[in-house]
Amino acid sequence: MSFEPKILSILCNWCSYTGADLAGTARMKYPPNVIGVRVMCSGRVDPGFVLDALRLGADGVLVCGCHPGDCHYVEGNYKCMRRIPLLKNLLQGLGIDPNRLRLEWVSASEGGRFQEVVTEFTEQIRALGPFKPQEWSFNPVETVAPHHERIAAKAVPA
Amino acid sequence: MKGSRQRRFRHDYCIQAGGHVSKPKLAIYWAASCGGCDIAILDIETKILDVADFFDLALWPCAADFKYKDVRALPDKSITLTLFNGAIRSSENFEIAQLLREKSVVLCAFGSCASDGCIPGLANLTTRQDIWDYVYLKSPSVDNPQGIMPQTLCQVPEGVITIPEMWNTVRPLTQVVDVDYIIPGCPPQSDKIAEVVGAVIDILKNGKPLPPKGTVLGAGEKTCCDECQRSKDVKKITKFIRPFEIVPDPNLCLIEQGIVCCGPATRSGCGAKCVSAGVPCRGCYGKPVNVRDQGAKMVSALASVIESKDPKEIENIIAAIPDPVGTFYRFSLPESMLRRAQV
């Protein structure tokens, strides 16, 4: 079976969610890989949301907000604009391709833009492949047997 | 402890077989740690005499000679209190963590290594193999032409000797056994240790109820900024600077001066000692209440203060933070959401 990316999109209530809604009501086709979550503002997007999404099985995260200057809360999207590059650096440091995270500005009237962004990002994540957080769970192989029982099973080097 | 009765120390914890009443037992153990926690315990000054007076030591490798077999010989739940410092990095650490869990009534994760992974946890940025290659082969100060690497067992004339196996991933104590309380800090501040020890003795003597399981002891609930005496105004910065590049203003918030300070995402409890001395907070008390990931919260706090609306300029400002993972997760990588780096 081919890999189908799971993508979380975090959409701002005032512009991007309405934009996505418009794409739907206008019957624009885009890949079904994106699950949308509405937040009040892109400034509300805690970097922890992105890490949590990756931890819980998302292959990519798309954050959408109002165009700079259009924020309903005046400055919220600028906060987001400043956080995402630093978060990308953090992801890079953790060995995660920063291209798994994307920030886009989509206004309420830009259904077509949303369609474009989602299609492009889905292909981008498809090319990157699935994301698996390493050794997230407690690994019993490493820990279950006391070490001398395990090494007793191995041959003794000369 | 929702829905159940509050746990109390009963007097019979202090009564051994045969009805002989003895002092409660205390164990202090170090796993993967630097020893600073043990020194911090010794540093509680005259209170240490109360400890010696009130408790019988069951195990304290740093200060006294005990054997693991003596601890194994004790009945289950016979050690009243165990202060466990250090991360779990080898099979030995894990075995002793399990052993002390079985033998202890109350197991405290003591210090940042046991609660968050701390400095040893930065090994999670790489693999065991890479660490070994560097330490035994590639490091400039190493002379090892035969490429001798550590083995878990070795044949000698007297038989086979074994040493513990190092794990690929460092874990805090809280991830491998059931922990009752957490005392954060690298190391926990001595005055806070003295407070906790005093409270424990009070609980034991007077049969007071224990705090709910999972309580963080010896620390506050707010952030380091809450304790910091420096004046804070509107945080707006146009560039980040390294602490050695300037002589910081002694009264102004370090972040406002452009220095990366982890105070906004660090639990209070230390009294903001580093910050008062002009050294930025490095985050050793771990994440505050209601924060799930210290690094993510630092990204949020630090990026928000950048004064720029131009994406290119923002990127340039951010590029001045050379190692975001090592800076924001210095004490908490194994306890972060992703636990370790992808390698």
Side-chain angles (χ1 to χ4, degrees):
Chain A
M1 209 180 105
S2 68
F3 162 61
E4 279 302 329
K6 276 187 285 223
I7 297 170
L8 177 76
S9 63
I10 308 177
L11 309 167
C12 117
N13 177 55
W14 304 99
C15 293
S16 310
Y17 192 85
T18 320
D21 210 23
L22 180 67
T25 46
R27 302 197 173 204
M28 293 174 186
K29 284 189 180 165
Y30 60 81
N33 304 56
V34 172
I35 299 160
V37 170
R38 175 159 59 171
V39 291
M40 288 310 281
C41 178
S42 55
R44 174 66 183 93
V45 182
D46 189 309
F49 296 176
V50 175
L51 297 184
D52 215 8
L54 291 171
R55 177 175 79 85
L56 293 170
D59 301 303
V61 180
L62 173 67
V63 180
C64 296
C66 306
H67 284 272
D70 289 351
C71 180
H72 187 82
Y73 306 102
V74 186
E75 283 265 329
N77 55 358
Y78 288 117
K79 298 233 190 267
C80 189
M81 184 202 264
R82 292 158 195 160
R83 282 171 190 159
I84 298 289
L86 186 53
L87 182 56
K88 283 189 173 202
N89 288 3
L90 191 80
L91 291 180
Q92 182 114 50
L94 289 167
I96 301 165
D97 194 318
N99 291 325
R100 290 190 185 276
L101 171 63
R102 184 160 168 171
L103 172 66
E104 286 290 343
W105 312 123
V106 175
S107 82
S109 60
E110 291 180 326
R113 173 93 186 118
F114 185 75
Q115 178 198 28
E116 251 171 55
V117 165
V118 166
T119 313
E120 207 183 296
F121 190 54
T122 307
E123 286 319 307
Q124 188 182 324
I125 298 296
R126 202 189 296 280
L128 286 175
F131 175 77
K132 283 200 189 83
Q134 278 198 351
E135 291 187 52
W136 160 249
S137 60
F138 187 80
N139 181 0
V141 181
E142 255 191 354
T143 52
V144 154
H147 74 286
H148 21 287
E149 279 172 32
R150 267 180 297 130
I151 54 182
K154 290 182 200 163
V156 179
Chain B
M1 295 302 288
K2 266 182 207 162
S4 63
R5 276 174 46 216
Q6 276 183 314
R7 297 186 315 162
R8 283 172 193 272
F9 270 113
R10 294 192 313 272
H11 184 60
D12 54 338
Y13 284 132
C14 309
I15 300 177
Q16 287 186 334
H20 168 67
V21 178
S22 68
K23 291 180 189 174
K25 281 192 164 55
L26 171 73
I28 300 172
Y29 186 73
W30 52 5
S33 72
C34 64
C37 287
D38 294 82
I39 304 304
I41 294 170
L42 290 170
D43 219 21
I44 60 178
E45 297 170 3
T46 51
K47 280 273 171 75
I48 196 80
L49 298 174
D50 293 350
V51 174
D53 201 31
F54 192 75
F55 288 106
D56 262 342
L57 275 179
L59 177 72
W60 193 356
C62 176
D65 185 22
F66 289 96
K67 304 297 178 206
Y68 292 159
K69 67 176 166 50
D70 300 332
V71 181
R72 287 203 176 90
L74 292 171
D76 280 3
K77 305 290 175 202
S78 59
I79 300 172
T80 310
L81 173 66
T82 295
L83 300 176
F84 192 105
N85 68 73
I88 306 299
R89 196 177 190 179
S90 71
S91 52
E92 184 198 15
N93 300 155
F94 181 53
E95 278 177 53
I96 302 300
Q98 282 184 319
L99 176 69
L100 287 171
R101 176 65 280 183
E102 280 166 23
K103 303 296 178 193
S104 320
V105 183
V106 172
L107 177 66
C108 273
F110 187 89
S112 182
C113 289
S115 67
D116 290 330
C118 200
I119 304 288
L122 288 174
N124 286 2
L125 286 171
T126 174
T127 61
R128 173 175 67 180
Q129 196 57 48
D130 282 353
I131 294 170
W132 283 13
D133 283 352
Y134 186 79
V135 171
Y136 294 100
L137 303 171
K138 292 180 190 159
S139 166
S141 60
V142 161
D143 181 25
N144 184 6
Q146 290 165 296
I148 296 166
M149 299 291 269
Q151 305 292 324
T152 49
L153 68 176
C154 177
Q155 183 78 55
V156 291
E158 293 80 11
V160 178
I161 52 172
T162 64
I163 60 160
E165 190 173 333
M166 182 176 148
W167 286 358
N168 194 38
T169 300
V170 177
R171 293 183 172 84
L173 180 71
T174 43
Q175 280 173 23
V176 298
V177 294
D178 189 32
V179 168
D180 294 298
Y181 303 112
I182 292 168
I183 304 174
C186 180
Q189 292 299 307
S190 293
D191 53 332
K192 296 285 176 186
I193 301 174
E195 257 174 46
V196 170
V197 165
V200 167
I201 292 176
D202 190 34
I203 284 168
L204 284 170
K205 269 189 181 161
N206 305 321
K208 284 189 182 164
L210 289 167
K213 194 174 170 178
T215 305
V216 176
L217 304 172
E221 301 212 322
K222 293 182 176 173
T223 63
C224 182
C225 293
D226 188 56
E227 292 185 318
C228 177
Q229 297 297 316
R230 287 169 177 269
S231 70
K232 297 160 200 88
D233 195 17
V234 184
K235 289 189 173 60
K236 290 279 175 207
I237 57 157
T238 49
K239 70 170 192 174
F240 288 112
I241 34 185
R242 311 283 291 274
F244 65 83
E245 291 176 295
I246 55 160
V247 178
D249 182 317
N251 301 316
L252 185 64
C253 169
L254 290 172
I255 292 183
E256 282 174 37
Q257 299 183 55
I259 294 173
V260 176
C261 173
C262 294
T266 301
R267 191 183 271 275
S268 60
C270 59
K273 285 190 177 149
C274 303
V275 196
S276 326
V279 177
C281 172
R282 302 185 300 165
C284 78
Y285 260 67
K287 51 188 187 284
V289 178
N290 295 337
V291 170
R292 286 181 58 203
D293 190 288
Q294 201 179 9
K297 201 46 96 184
M298 266 316 290
V299 168
S300 183
L302 213 55
S304 309
V305 303
I306 296 169
E307 180 157 47
S308 170
K309 292 181 176 178
D310 172 33
K312 273 270 161 277
E313 196 187 350
I314 291 171
E315 258 176 44
N316 289 338
I317 294 171
I318 282 167
I321 304 172
D323 176 15
V325 175
T327 311
F328 304 157
Y329 285 125
R330 187 173 300 182
F331 294 89
S332 65
L333 184 62
E335 188 54 20
S336 70
M337 278 188 191
L338 293 169
R339 295 318 202 231
R340 63 167 296 131
Q342 307 286 109
V343 281

